[in-house]
Amino acid sequence: FNIGTISAKLLLQLATALRPGGLCNRTGTVVYKDQLHKSITPVLAIAGDEDLICPPEAVLGISFLSLDTFMFLSIELVV
């Protein structure tokens, strides 16, 4: 079953990102957040103070799991 060109299996996997524990594989046996510390690719994590989906606290939690060194940059936008 496909929705447009996106398979239902992929959509079901992406839906796991909204569950406690975060994004995992289709069977639920691999939680990707728990594997980030193995990555050798730099990770850019961005959050906003008013971001309901990924607030700064969530990004900080992910960053500490995945990086030996962490840089925090705060930018204030004035509108």
Side-chain angles (χ1 to χ4, degrees):
F1 172 70
N2 288 332
I3 298 175
T5 58
I6 303 171
S7 73
K9 290 180 180 181
L10 176 59
L11 292 173
L12 289 171
Q13 182 178 355
L14 290 174
T16 65
L18 303 175
R19 296 184 190 146
L23 183 66
C24 62
N25 67 348
R26 282 190 290 147
T27 61
T29 57
V30 176
V31 178
Y32 295 121
K33 180 176 73 170
D34 296 342
Q35 305 300 316
L36 282 175
H37 69 279
K38 297 177 183 178
S39 176
I40 58 171
T41 304
V43 175
L44 174 62
I46 301 173
D49 290 341
E50 296 182 27
D51 189 337
L52 300 177
I53 296 172
C54 191
E57 298 80 22
V59 170
L60 287 172
I62 292 169
S63 298
F64 286 123
L65 287 174
S66 62
L67 303 173
D68 292 331
T69 59
F70 177 73
M71 183 188 338
F72 181 77
L73 174 63
S74 178
I75 300 173
E76 182 177 337
L77 298 177
V78 178
V79 184

